[in-house]
Amino acid sequence: HNIRMVPRFRSALSAKRVLKEQGFDTLPELMDSYFERIPLAMMTQGDIAAFPGEDGFESLMIYGQLRAFLGWHQDAPDCRYMRVGSDGYKACLGAWKL
């Protein structure tokens, strides 16, 4: 994939500003500009899904298997696998084939 470089940022506020400067209001809009959107049920390992996040940002996570996603969570100090139940799937904002 040919993805343009993004300037460095150190806070959620500056990340949101950089996103706006790139011409996008949300992370799903950015993902739509680079990747094919797919139904969540069609995801395979390595695909990306967006879920609601905090501070006006969506959370992008990598699909592993059996409803488990690799990503960060505000209650965890590091990147980890997390299981998403049916309510989580309903909250999904989009999925993309990589």
Side-chain angles (χ1 to χ4, degrees):
H1 301 285
N2 187 15
I3 299 175
R4 63 180 166 231
M5 293 298 293
V6 175
R8 289 181 176 238
F9 50 87
R10 296 180 187 255
S11 69
L13 185 60
S14 61
K16 195 70 163 175
R17 187 185 76 247
V18 168
L19 188 65
K20 273 281 202 212
E21 289 170 358
Q22 299 290 319
F24 305 103
D25 290 323
T26 66
L27 287 173
E29 285 180 15
L30 174 71
M31 294 297 288
D32 284 337
S33 74
Y34 287 111
F35 306 106
E36 174 190 354
R37 191 179 276 245
I38 59 172
L40 188 61
M42 300 299 292
M43 290 182 72
T44 58
Q45 275 186 321
D47 291 340
I48 303 288
F51 295 93
E54 291 189 335
D55 299 325
F57 277 103
E58 298 77 18
S59 173
L60 297 179
M61 297 199 284
I62 302 168
Y63 183 68
Q65 58 185 1
L66 303 174
R67 293 189 180 195
F69 291 83
L70 180 65
W72 283 266
H73 190 274
Q74 65 269 11
D75 296 333
D78 54 4
C79 186
R80 62 183 53 211
Y81 265 109
M82 294 170 271
R83 294 237 177 254
V84 175
S86 59
D87 287 343
Y89 269 72
K90 291 175 187 173
C92 183
L93 303 170
W96 296 268
K97 176 61 67 190
L98 265 68

